[in-house]
Amino acid sequence: MLPYIGRRCLQLIPVLLGMTFIVFLIIRAIPGDPARVILGQQASEELIVALRQQLGLDNPWYIQYFEYLKGLLTGDLGESLRTKQPIVTEIWPYLAATIELALFAMILAVVIGMNAGIISAWFQNSWFDYLAMIIALIGVSMPIFWLGLMEQWAFSINLGWLPTSGREDVRAPVEAITHFYLIDTLIQGRFDQFLTTLKYLILPGIALATIPMAIIARMTRSSMLEVMRSDYIRTARAKGQKMVKVVYRHALKNALIPILTVIGLQTGLLLGGAILTETIFSWPGIGRYIYEAIGFRDYPVIQSGILVVAFMFVMINLIVDILYSAIDSRIRYN
Amino acid sequence: MKNKISTLWLLLVLCLVFLLVACNGSESTEPEDTTEQTNEETEETNESVPQVLVFGRGGDSVSLDPAIVTDGESFKVTENIFETLLDFGEQDTTVHPGLAKEWEVSEDGLTYTFKLEEGVKFHDGTDFNAEAVVKNIERWKGGAEEKFYYFHSMFKANGEDIIEEVIAEDDYTVVFKLSRPQAPFLKNLAMSPFGIASPTAFEAAGDAFGDNPVGTGPFKFVEWKRNDSITVAKNEDYWQEGLPKLDTIIFRAIPENSARLNALLAGEIDLADGINPSDVSIIEGDANLQLIERPSMNIGYLGLTNTRPPFDNVLVRQAVNHAIDKQTIVDAFYEGLAEVAVNPMPSSISGYNEEITGYEYNPEKAKELLAEAGYDGTPIELWAMPVPRPYMPDGQKIAEAIQKNLEDVGIPSSIQSVDWATYLDRANKGEFDAFLLGWTGDNGDADNFLYTLLDKDNIGSNNYAYYSNDEVHDLLISAQSEVDEEVRNELYKQAQEIIFEEAPWVPLAHSIPLLAGKKGVTDYYPHPTGSESLKNVSIQ
């Protein structure tokens, strides 16, 4: 197993390097000048030229790229053109905010999606099956933007149950340690704040979870249906074993591989696709960090932000691959 | 393995149950939470409920060092942390005492002597005095032009410093010596970027000063969670008796306009900036909310690139001015919350030419002019702003209305749009035939509209229309150093006449930017420049 992980990690290097290169070229191909955006509408041409020089933007692209790579090798992601802060320190709170939200959304999606799929498969062609699959179809096709605003309208404005936006009650802010607020509040023994943090997670969590939840439900259903047609399940059902036992002991384990693949892929997509949710719910996450950087043509931030997200995407795939062998002992990595 | 999986499932199900409990329980726990919190805070301060104001706005600040930024969101916060030598009026741009309580101007307009307030301290305990003022000016003057952008653009002309020397005559007297008279000098000093910072703090912090701002203002900086919130707290030692009234202000960034309105409706924020004109009815229909109008100091316009055909012909530009029905556009897209524009600056600014009545909406006249110009019906590209701004609430829809107006007189056009950074970049390079854009004034001076937007010096900067006229240029330049207000106004009036004849743009509207707040927010007076100190505000 270990050599396999090592090999996979080595493979990461060319993948990420290729990524930085592509991102580097694409963002420089789009028109728009960071110096002009930084100086605002009033600036004169000479000033813009001076600032470009100071920011190193007047160098040929390959020199800029190698400078960037050199920095990466020493663990330096560069400095934001806009805020002048080192990205390494600036990026962490955003990243933590997104990971917390994404994990929360994934737990929601997996728990609800898988169970809905399992029940649909077990009671195939029942009213629950039809209903769940119709909901799943709506879930896949629902625009997140619209869903988010509707959630705010229903649960915050009309019912007053949940906050509309943000990560915390700004009037009683969380003291950040790790920047994972659920963990921070527990470390400080602030159970009240822990619950508040959870409340802030629910609406964006649901908005973000909807699509993966629907996809997982559909995948689980079809995968389970296939397994349940097999002889050993039929035997177990004939023996009169309880549904929970048959499903969770016997069937699920064999149906899990494709489901796990989908979960892995969806988690990666979730990380990259959190921009809309983060904008509607003013969630200070990495999606918004990159989005705002694009508006300001803050090249180092765009590059590093995408690099970090890509890194996590690849890591999730690695974890999924490792989990395969844990679930199905026939899979070996030699 | 079996056990492992079932334990995992058990955990997940527990999580879900826990969530549902947390969700359902919110209704009953919330009041408890607040009482607990209030109790705690009451014990601490031994007073009634602390006055906390949450201000919801569209974006985060770039830096909290006002001297190095150019964006309005940064100034909204720094106005509360820093103070300037002179202040603008509460809701206009007249000049009032600030950290300088009185001043004298020499007859030749070259020497300004300021008497400073005594006994004022910066938040870090440093004394505010003449020496501190000198150090601030030296910092701005000595720094690179692209870093202290506003200082150099306001106090430098043709590469020469207008502020020749600043001398601390005694502890509380500062003398500014100018190299040439500058009419808007006092107004310039009142601008947000010239907030006086603690010399001890900026010397020690260097580039990090923007993260740890120290001024003399009514509020002290507490915390900044980037892209999320900035917290400032009451300066207990503030020099103006009884101020500020609030204990804490939290500036929250909520980028999406509808989400910000939702947060206001749900009671999470007390003030919301950037209200869409189309949402006015929602606010007026809610008994707990009030609509707040910011005095107008802006212009939304359709720029016609004067160097590109067909707009290199003045007759075509005049025709377009006759072709566009401005009143209908204002009624439809600004919900009537705007004044139809005639000149390139709002009528509230001194020097405005009231004799110009503008081009009337007259398609027939437009057709005649086009025929006279020999326009051959070549289609044009009409560029629509991709982002809403107070002066342009919906670029796309306004462009559609204009497209219809142009079509009626026989100018076919296609509407185009790109992202905002690219838009400004390409407009700047003169690549658009006709484009929507606008401007919000910095200091309420005619110079800040006419010279900035339409002088040939600013081609490649803010003169996106590439309009160049030597006569206008001479008028604007002489107005810059004219100290007699009446003579100066006369120069601006003449410039407006020429600009009217030459029609480099179609001025569309001077809008009233909207905010909304809870009913209990009192004494909040938004400033036309877009940023104001909240020291008088309280929550009832």
Side-chain angles (χ1 to χ4, degrees):
Chain A
M1 181 67 89
L2 273 181
Y4 171 74
I5 296 176
R7 214 163 52 232
R8 281 289 299 265
C9 287
L10 280 181
Q11 281 169 6
L12 264 181
I13 297 169
V15 171
L16 291 176
L17 207 64
M19 264 257 341
T20 57
F21 187 67
I22 293 168
V23 171
F24 187 92
L25 286 189
I26 289 177
I27 57 178
R28 273 165 181 77
I30 48 176
D33 179 355
R36 194 181 297 286
V37 188
I38 291 167
L39 290 175
Q41 281 189 37
Q42 280 208 341
S44 70
E45 205 54 47
E46 304 93 74
L47 267 194
I48 289 167
V49 171
L51 185 62
R52 287 179 62 86
Q53 216 161 25
Q54 193 201 324
L55 297 173
L57 294 170
D58 56 341
N59 290 330
W61 67 268
Y62 51 87
I63 293 187
Q64 288 184 49
Y65 182 63
F66 282 110
E67 287 293 319
Y68 180 64
L69 280 190
K70 225 162 60 188
L72 278 187
L73 286 178
T74 56
D76 176 13
L77 292 177
E79 203 177 68
S80 160
L81 299 181
R82 187 169 164 233
T83 64
K84 313 279 188 310
Q85 304 285 318
I87 295 167
V88 174
T89 52
E90 200 179 67
I91 206 169
W92 177 246
Y94 296 110
L95 192 60
T98 296
I99 294 176
E100 191 167 67
L101 177 62
L103 274 182
F104 180 83
M106 253 357 253
I107 291 173
L108 269 189
V110 169
V111 171
I112 300 176
M114 271 181 74
N115 282 301
I118 289 166
I119 298 171
S120 292
W122 186 268
F123 301 108
Q124 195 191 355
N125 299 331
S126 68
W127 64 268
F128 181 91
D129 184 20
Y130 289 125
L131 185 69
M133 287 307 115
I134 289 171
I135 294 176
L137 185 68
I138 296 173
V140 181
S141 25
M142 180 112 68
I144 293 189
F145 202 78
W146 184 81
L147 175 67
L149 289 174
M150 284 303 113
E151 280 180 1
Q152 290 179 347
W153 178 77
F155 295 102
S156 309
I157 297 174
N158 284 323
L159 296 170
W161 289 353
L162 296 166
T164 58
S165 55
R167 254 192 111 181
E168 58 177 347
D169 179 358
V170 285
R171 292 163 199 269
V174 173
E175 201 184 313
I177 302 169
T178 61
H179 290 279
F180 292 106
Y181 284 2
L182 286 178
I183 296 174
D184 290 349
T185 49
L186 285 180
I187 294 175
Q188 290 156 26
R190 296 287 303 268
F191 200 66
D192 56 327
Q193 279 200 335
F194 178 79
L195 283 181
T196 316
T197 307
L198 264 185
K199 266 195 258 169
Y200 276 87
L201 272 164
I202 292 173
L203 292 187
I206 293 175
L208 200 54
T210 309
I211 291 174
M213 193 189 296
I215 293 174
I216 291 169
R218 289 183 354 168
M219 191 51 159
T220 309
R221 180 177 178 273
S222 65
S223 179
M224 283 294 284
L225 278 178
E226 207 170 296
V227 173
M228 282 196 304
R229 282 193 203 104
S230 58
D231 290 345
Y232 75 99
I233 299 292
R234 211 176 302 137
T235 315
R237 283 177 91 163
K239 270 166 56 187
Q241 282 202 354
K242 288 211 174 84
M243 171 202 169
V244 176
K245 209 168 168 189
V246 176
V247 169
Y248 292 103
R249 280 259 170 96
H250 305 294
L252 190 59
K253 221 177 99 181
N254 287 316
L256 212 51
I257 295 287
I259 301 174
L260 198 65
T261 311
V262 169
I263 293 175
L265 279 174
Q266 289 299 318
T267 314
L269 288 178
L270 207 87
L271 273 177
I275 293 179
L276 275 182
T277 315
E278 289 179 358
T279 306
I280 300 167
F281 292 96
S282 359
W283 193 267
I286 189 114
R288 245 181 83 203
Y289 182 54
I290 298 173
Y291 178 75
E292 304 246 319
I294 293 173
F296 283 91
R297 298 287 186 272
D298 195 340
Y299 296 148
V301 171
I302 309 174
Q303 270 158 217
S304 304
I306 295 179
L307 186 68
V308 168
V309 172
F311 177 75
M312 294 186 47
F313 191 90
V314 187
M315 289 314 285
I316 291 165
N317 276 332
L318 178 62
I319 293 168
V320 168
D321 284 355
I322 294 167
L323 280 181
Y324 286 158
S325 79
I327 287 164
D328 190 335
S329 47
R330 285 167 303 180
I331 300 175
R332 283 279 166 265
Y333 305 101
N334 292 322
Chain B
M1 177 54 71
K2 271 179 195 168
N3 281 339
K4 265 188 208 161
I5 289 185
S6 40
T7 326
L8 189 70
W9 275 111
L10 191 66
L11 270 176
L12 288 178
V13 172
L14 273 178
C15 277
L16 183 68
V17 172
F18 182 67
L19 270 178
L20 290 175
V21 172
C23 188
N24 280 332
S26 63
E27 221 177 347
S28 56
T29 51
E30 201 153 28
E32 277 171 30
D33 272 338
T34 27
T35 4
E36 264 176 39
Q37 194 193 319
T38 330
N39 282 343
E40 271 175 32
E41 275 158 1
T42 319
E43 275 163 31
E44 268 174 31
T45 55
N46 224 355
E47 272 175 17
S48 54
V49 189
Q51 294 250 314
V52 180
L53 180 101
V54 185
F55 191 126
R57 55 196 190 132
D60 198 11
S61 300
V62 171
S63 165
L64 294 182
D65 178 355
I68 65 166
V69 291
T70 54
D71 67 308
E73 294 303 347
S74 294
F75 294 134
K76 269 199 187 94
V77 181
T78 61
E79 269 290 306
N80 292 285
I81 301 174
F82 296 91
E83 289 173 300
T84 37
L85 285 180
L86 302 170
D87 256 344
F88 287 129
E90 199 162 58
Q91 290 223 280
D92 56 38
T93 49
T94 52
V95 174
H96 294 256
L99 285 173
K101 52 185 177 186
E102 53 199 59
W103 58 93
E104 268 171 32
V105 191
S106 66
E107 251 174 53
D108 58 3
L110 289 176
T111 312
Y112 287 72
T113 310
F114 295 91
K115 287 273 176 215
L116 305 180
E117 282 289 344
E118 295 175 24
V120 178
K121 278 189 188 301
F122 290 101
H123 302 153
D124 61 357
T126 309
D127 285 323
F128 165 74
N129 51 26
E131 201 50 48
V133 176
V134 173
K135 281 188 177 160
N136 270 276
I137 308 277
E138 277 170 0
R139 171 180 185 235
W140 302 329
K141 204 172 159 177
E145 210 170 323
E146 62 269 18
K147 185 172 179 194
F148 296 107
Y149 171 71
Y150 264 113
F151 182 83
H152 291 272
S153 91
M154 295 290 147
F155 299 115
K156 208 166 192 176
N158 306 324
E160 183 195 348
D161 275 323
I162 290 173
I163 300 179
E164 210 168 49
E165 203 181 2
V166 189
I167 309 153
E169 209 167 70
D170 61 45
D171 269 4
Y172 295 102
T173 312
V174 185
V175 180
F176 282 66
K177 293 229 151 88
L178 308 194
S179 58
R180 63 162 224 205
Q182 186 187 37
F185 181 70
L186 293 173
K187 274 186 181 165
N188 286 351
L189 276 188
M191 286 170 59
S192 309
F194 309 121
I196 304 293
S198 159
T200 332
F202 69 66
E203 278 164 10
D207 279 348
F209 183 69
D211 285 334
N212 307 286
V214 183
T216 58
F219 295 92
K220 292 178 181 184
F221 171 73
V222 177
E223 194 190 12
W224 185 358
K225 291 185 174 171
R226 279 190 187 269
N227 259 351
D228 191 19
S229 63
I230 295 176
T231 308
V232 295
K234 182 178 194 160
N235 172 9
E236 299 287 351
D237 306 318
Y238 189 55
W239 59 281
Q240 290 186 36
E241 200 77 10
L243 296 175
K245 293 178 183 158
L246 294 168
D247 291 297
T248 307
I249 311 172
I250 300 158
F251 294 90
R252 264 191 71 188
I254 307 179
E256 180 50 38
N257 277 5
S258 327
R260 198 170 334 110
L261 180 65
N262 281 346
L264 181 74
L265 292 171
E268 288 161 29
I269 57 177
D270 305 300
L271 269 177
D273 198 1
I275 295 292
N276 291 333
S278 52
D279 289 332
V280 167
S281 56
I282 300 178
I283 290 149
E284 285 178 337
D286 192 321
N288 299 317
L289 299 181
Q290 53 176 327
L291 191 69
I292 303 169
E293 294 180 357
R294 192 183 282 286
S296 172
M297 199 171 80
N298 60 34
I299 171 99
Y301 63 86
L302 174 74
L304 309 170
T305 308
N306 286 224
T307 45
R308 288 174 79 90
F311 299 117
D312 52 352
N313 184 331
V314 63
L315 294 174
V316 177
R317 299 202 296 267
Q318 287 174 345
V320 172
N321 268 280
H322 278 299
I324 291 170
D325 185 359
K326 299 178 193 176
Q327 188 63 50
T328 306
I329 290 176
V330 165
D331 291 342
F333 305 114
Y334 296 80
E335 308 279 320
L337 284 161
E339 193 188 327
V340 169
V342 172
N343 285 318
M345 64 188 203
S347 57
S348 55
I349 288 177
S350 129
Y352 182 84
N353 191 333
E354 274 163 9
E355 279 158 28
I356 298 172
T357 50
Y359 291 88
E360 52 161 352
Y361 171 55
N362 188 342
E364 289 312 313
K365 177 95 181 144
K367 284 182 197 162
E368 281 169 27
L369 285 167
L370 287 176
E372 195 185 331
Y375 169 66
D376 57 357
T378 321
I380 61 153
E381 282 183 351
L382 175 60
W383 287 80
M385 279 173 60
V387 290
R389 283 287 180 274
Y391 50 73
M392 193 71 60
D394 190 334
Q396 188 66 32
K397 286 195 181 140
I398 293 174
E400 283 166 22
I402 290 175
Q403 184 182 38
K404 175 73 178 54
N405 283 157
L406 292 179
E407 196 186 295
D408 289 346
V409 298
I411 305 178
S413 60
S414 60
I415 297 176
Q416 314 266 350
S417 197
V418 271
D419 78 287
W420 187 225
T422 314
Y423 191 91
L424 287 180
D425 198 50
R426 294 193 52 191
N428 195 285
K429 292 190 178 123
E431 290 177 11
F432 296 163
D433 295 335
F435 53 92
L436 290 170
L437 212 63
W439 175 254
T440 298
D442 288 313
N443 58 3
D445 196 272
D447 182 67
N448 187 246
F449 278 88
L450 299 182
Y451 177 75
T452 308
L453 300 175
L454 287 164
D455 192 86
K456 66 175 183 180
D457 284 352
N458 285 318
I459 289 178
S461 160
N462 259 318
N463 182 351
Y464 293 101
Y466 278 64
Y467 173 64
S468 167
N469 181 302
D470 291 332
E471 218 179 322
V472 170
H473 173 74
D474 293 340
L475 286 167
L476 295 178
I477 290 296
S478 41
Q480 277 179 346
S481 43
E482 176 57 59
V483 192
D484 185 330
E485 190 68 16
E486 265 177 46
V487 179
R488 192 164 182 253
N489 286 345
E490 196 44 50
L491 294 171
Y492 284 125
K493 284 182 182 170
Q494 286 174 28
Q496 283 166 78
E497 267 165 36
I498 304 170
I499 292 168
F500 169 74
E501 281 301 322
E502 298 245 285
W505 303 342
V506 183
L508 294 173
H510 307 292
S511 77
I512 300 168
L514 293 175
L515 296 103
K518 280 189 191 157
K519 267 273 150 66
V521 176
T522 43
D523 293 327
Y524 171 65
Y525 298 109
H527 199 267
T529 54
S531 40
E532 58 276 322
S533 158
L534 304 176
K535 63 185 175 192
N536 290 309
V537 178
S538 60
I539 302 176
Q540 302 294 321

